[in-house]
Amino acid sequence: PGAVPSISPSSGINAEYGAKYGMSMCVLGMAEEFRDYKIGVNAIWPATPIATAAIDLIGGDEMMKTSRTPAIMADAAYAMLCRDPTTFTANFCIDEEIVTEEGITDLDQYHNCPGTPLVPDFFLGDEYPVPEAYNADSTAGSSGGIGKMMTKFRPLLTPEVMHKTAIVFAVDFGDGGKWTFDMKTKGTISDNDDTPADVTFQMTEDVFLKIIKGELQSTAAFMSGQMKIQGNLMEAMKLEGLFKQMRTKL
């Protein structure tokens, strides 16, 4: 008997990138291939970002603070390897669920920066139940404050910028409303524009403010699940420069 662990998300939950999807398919294939040899093959994925060098490179201190330490992945993997491979195979597991099943209830011991709200891992998707503790207090912004800020941004929509970007994008704050930037024909920023957007960013007002102020990289916000993007990702990348220009208007 033996066991083979893999680090990959479930093929059924937001496996958007080919490499991750391929790894997940290998788990299913090898689980069947090695079943007669009593070798279990399972996958594990973190519920939150893990404080590694890769996360530090992508999101810096901001993302590292909202992550757990690698210890939770190590403990979960060890628990999985100790299970009976003849009955425990072809599973896609979440680290916090495994350690909880093993009787570990104090998950704060794994927090990389205790006191800072955690964020859910990007690959888990919307269907994974996000613990309340993950949610940061998003009351820092207000609709009124956002409206005043948008007024300051309007002068940035010059003919030159519009010609360079030529898209319509929206920032959806959920209950806080949605703002549409028409950089294709109108050159307007409005919270009552029904023009279909090429790209829609979904985030809280607090996350938007952090991105504009330079406290949070947009890439880190996206990868950590704090910001979601609907539409053309290539078009979305054009807006990084605009976000930097917005910073000068604060």
Side-chain angles (χ1 to χ4, degrees):
V4 178
S6 171
I7 300 179
S8 62
S10 164
S11 58
I13 45 176
N14 204 23
E16 293 185 10
Y17 294 106
K20 297 291 188 298
Y21 185 83
M23 291 162 63
S24 299
M25 292 298 98
C26 285
V27 169
L28 295 177
M30 289 190 294
E32 292 304 316
E33 181 179 356
F34 300 142
R35 189 181 295 274
D36 291 342
Y37 298 96
K38 298 181 180 180
I39 296 176
V41 182
N42 299 284
I44 184 173
W45 196 255
T48 71
I50 299 298
T52 62
I55 291 298
D56 190 22
L57 179 64
I58 294 173
D61 289 342
E62 182 72 22
M63 197 166 177
M64 291 287 281
K65 290 177 181 178
T66 61
S67 304
R68 283 177 173 151
T69 67
I72 189 171
M73 287 287 283
D75 288 350
Y78 176 77
M80 292 168 61
L81 290 171
C82 290
R83 295 185 179 183
D84 184 355
T86 63
T87 58
F88 187 73
T89 189
N91 296 291
F92 291 92
C93 306
I94 304 298
D95 58 356
E96 67 176 18
E97 295 178 359
I98 292 294
V99 297
T100 300
E101 291 172 4
E102 295 297 314
I104 299 176
T105 57
D106 179 18
L107 300 185
D108 288 342
Q109 63 179 302
Y110 298 118
H111 201 320
N112 193 49
C113 185
T116 302
L118 296 166
V119 296
D121 186 83
F122 170 74
F123 281 96
L124 294 185
D126 296 331
E127 297 181 4
Y128 186 76
V130 179
E132 185 176 347
Y134 288 6
N135 298 327
D137 180 3
S138 59
T139 60
S142 65
S143 297
I146 288 292
K148 293 179 181 178
M149 182 183 297
M150 295 302 182
T151 300
K152 295 180 181 180
F153 294 158
R154 287 191 175 97
L156 295 174
L157 273 61
T158 63
E160 180 181 357
V161 171
M162 290 179 61
H163 177 73
K164 186 176 181 180
T165 53
I167 66 172
V168 177
F169 77 93
V171 182
D172 187 350
F173 297 120
D175 293 338
K178 182 170 72 172
W179 289 81
T180 300
F181 292 63
D182 189 332
M183 304 175 67
K184 187 177 292 185
T185 57
K186 303 176 185 176
T188 58
I189 302 175
S190 174
D191 61 349
N192 60 3
D193 189 339
D194 295 329
T195 302
D198 300 303
V199 179
T200 298
F201 299 89
Q202 296 176 315
M203 68 188 94
T204 64
E205 294 179 4
D206 183 54
V207 170
F208 179 73
L209 290 171
K210 286 182 179 180
I211 292 174
I212 299 305
K213 291 178 181 179
E215 298 174 358
L216 176 64
Q217 297 179 26
S218 57
T219 302
F222 175 67
M223 292 299 293
S224 64
Q226 296 181 72
M227 176 179 73
K228 297 180 181 179
I229 300 176
Q230 293 182 341
N232 192 319
L233 290 178
M234 295 301 294
E235 294 290 343
M237 293 176 63
K238 294 181 180 179
L239 300 173
E240 184 67 32
L242 179 63
F243 288 156
K244 291 180 180 179
Q245 292 183 49
M246 288 178 175
R247 198 171 305 157
T248 65
K249 296 296 181 178
L250 297 179

